[in-house]
Amino acid sequence: MNLKDRLLLRIQNDGPMTIADYMTECLMHPEHGYYTTRDPLGAQGDFITAPEISQMFGELIGLCLAQCWLVQGKPEKFVLAELGPGRGTLMADILRATQSVPGFHKAAEIALLEASPVLRDVQAKALQGYEPQWIEAISDFEDLPLFLVANEFFDALPIRQFLREGKGWRERLVGKNGASLAFGLGAQSAQAALSERVEDTQDGDLVELCAAASSIMYSVAGQIARNGGAALIIDYGDWRSLGDTLQALQAHERVDPLDQPGQADLTTHVDFEVLAKASHASGCAYTKLTPQGVFLERLGITARAQSLAAPLSGSQLEALVSAHRRLTHPDEMGNLFKVLGLYPPNATPPPGLEP
Ligand code: SAH
């Protein structure tokens, strides 16, 4: 039975499900999940990410984290972590770029949080020669300083959606209409987690809640506040989310998120304010939310592009110029993608970011 029929049956038996449950089934179902059954990245896949566009992205992230490690006194053992490492390209570029930082590799214990068995295999190949550990949950990090990156991880976490009605909220649910999946609304209820959103919303507004993101950030930030370290969270989204941002992508095109469950990537915009607040509640400092283009320019992406360009000509040179533009230009990923940095309250923020 395919995933759509399974979900229709489940809804028939148990009633409509939350969007968070729907996303979890579509992305992570052991047999039919989008991430559990394939490698969706790259030009041939459904979407492409910054590290897959150019090695410059991972190199600069690596040097940024290594600089944090240096200014925090080079702790002799630390966790170098990535959440949702995809094909392992970002971590491989981080490791290549930091080879020349004395002592960094010797001190690093590489830890990867990855739910997909298919992608774990791809990561193992990309990181041959290193000894990464795959962890099952954030609480599994060794209790050491934590230097962490997450690129396009938080956008894949399950969210719930609520529609404002009077002073209460109605949850947007996935139900059925004949043989099709269809959105509907649950009964009105109070939502303690949304009490702060009563001020900035009106009747008919839709807001999204990502419980998983808050709890992951709380835990990561707590470890950085206690032991030292830094985190770079990179994703599309903004300081506060308003409206329906659930989208489905297949072969680089937008499709209906209910049409073919498990066959399309489902994502939402990240609400960075929620991430920052969870980090603050855990005793960690956070930086200004910074556009990816600005962040990469400050780290020197243009100088790096020029040095990579020196021996190139023709189509290779064009590809490099186009990659630089895609990563940084405000009309491409430069503005849509944002960077939030975390750092211990007594330390300086990661290079390229401001307090
Ligand atoms: N960071 C990579 C890949 C982004 S795609 C890049 O920039 O190219 C999202 C990644 O997060 C995939 O590796 C996916 O399998 C992983 N992922 C999504 N949800 C997850 C979850 N709940 N737990 C662990 N990994 C998850």
Side-chain angles (χ1 to χ4, degrees):
M1 194 188 283
N2 68 24
L3 186 58
K4 188 172 186 174
D5 290 336
R6 281 171 191 262
L7 293 175
L8 286 167
L9 192 65
R10 170 172 161 179
I11 292 165
Q12 186 166 325
N13 291 333
D14 302 340
M17 64 174 93
T18 65
I19 291 183
D21 282 349
Y22 178 71
M23 286 181 79
T24 304
E25 292 283 351
C26 289
L27 297 178
M28 293 298 167
H29 187 282
E31 273 170 67
H32 302 284
Y34 179 75
Y35 280 116
T36 35
T37 56
R38 79 197 73 203
D39 167 8
L41 286 133
Q44 309 304 317
D46 290 318
F47 62 96
I48 189 157
T49 56
E52 301 297 334
I53 290 172
S54 165
Q55 69 187 73
M56 296 185 286
F57 183 80
E59 290 170 350
L60 294 169
I61 300 284
L63 295 174
C64 178
L65 291 176
Q67 181 67 21
C68 295
W69 175 76
L70 288 168
V71 299
Q72 290 183 33
K74 306 193 215 175
E76 61 187 30
K77 228 176 151 198
F78 70 92
V79 177
L80 177 63
E82 184 174 355
L83 309 182
R87 283 186 176 158
T89 309
L90 173 53
M91 186 51 84
D93 289 339
I94 290 174
L95 290 166
R96 190 169 35 74
T98 52
Q99 245 160 14
S100 55
V101 180
F104 188 76
H105 281 203
K106 190 161 175 282
E109 309 264 338
I110 303 164
L112 308 173
L113 180 75
E114 173 56 69
S116 159
V118 175
L119 288 174
R120 280 186 185 204
D121 285 347
V122 180
Q123 291 154 19
K125 290 203 182 82
L127 297 172
Q128 258 168 23
Y130 298 98
E131 289 175 1
Q133 302 287 323
W134 283 268
I135 57 162
E136 298 298 328
I138 291 286
S139 52
D140 294 346
F141 285 135
E142 266 193 84
D143 196 17
L144 295 168
L146 175 63
F147 294 83
L148 175 144
V149 63
N151 184 61
E152 292 211 46
F153 167 74
F154 284 93
D155 65 38
L157 296 181
I159 54 118
R160 292 168 68 186
Q161 293 186 329
F162 296 90
L163 195 79
R164 173 87 185 269
E165 195 179 80
K167 291 237 177 295
W169 301 91
R170 292 180 70 184
E171 182 156 12
R172 195 161 177 241
L173 299 168
V174 177
K176 66 194 272 295
N177 184 359
S180 302
L181 295 165
F183 287 114
L185 286 175
Q188 208 202 73
S189 62
Q191 289 294 333
L194 290 174
S195 56
E196 287 184 22
R197 300 305 303 267
V198 174
E199 273 165 40
D200 76 312
T201 53
Q202 303 177 342
D203 257 5
D205 279 347
L206 186 141
V207 299
E208 298 177 336
L209 258 190
C210 184
S214 306
S215 86
I216 290 172
M217 284 304 276
Y218 188 82
S219 171
V220 165
Q223 184 161 348
I224 292 171
R226 257 190 341 268
N227 298 352
L232 298 170
I233 311 298
I234 308 153
D235 228 308
Y236 50 106
D238 226 318
W239 187 247
R240 182 171 276 213
S241 133
L242 183 65
D244 171 19
T245 73
L246 179 67
Q247 67 169 37
L249 270 191
Q250 213 171 8
H252 303 266
E253 300 285 336
R254 282 185 78 145
V255 294
D256 181 338
L258 299 186
D259 213 27
Q260 291 185 62
Q263 301 296 315
D265 184 35
L266 294 180
T267 60
T268 62
H269 283 200
V270 172
D271 185 337
F272 283 96
E273 183 185 28
V274 171
L275 303 193
K277 283 193 168 164
S279 307
H280 182 70
S282 217
C284 206
Y286 59 87
T287 66
K288 278 202 186 106
L289 189 61
T290 305
Q292 173 174 299
V294 172
F295 174 67
L296 294 175
E297 287 296 355
R298 285 178 180 161
L299 292 179
I301 192 170
T302 299
R304 180 66 184 132
Q306 281 162 349
S307 89
L308 285 172
L312 302 181
S313 60
S315 62
Q316 284 182 317
L317 181 60
E318 274 169 37
L320 179 73
V321 171
S322 136
H324 174 275
R325 185 188 149 89
R326 277 185 83 177
L327 292 177
T328 58
H329 197 280
D331 293 343
E332 307 246 4
M333 296 171 85
N335 231 356
L336 178 65
F337 281 73
K338 309 282 195 307
V339 187
L340 181 74
L342 305 189
Y343 58 105
N346 56 357
T348 47
L353 300 172
E354 303 160 298

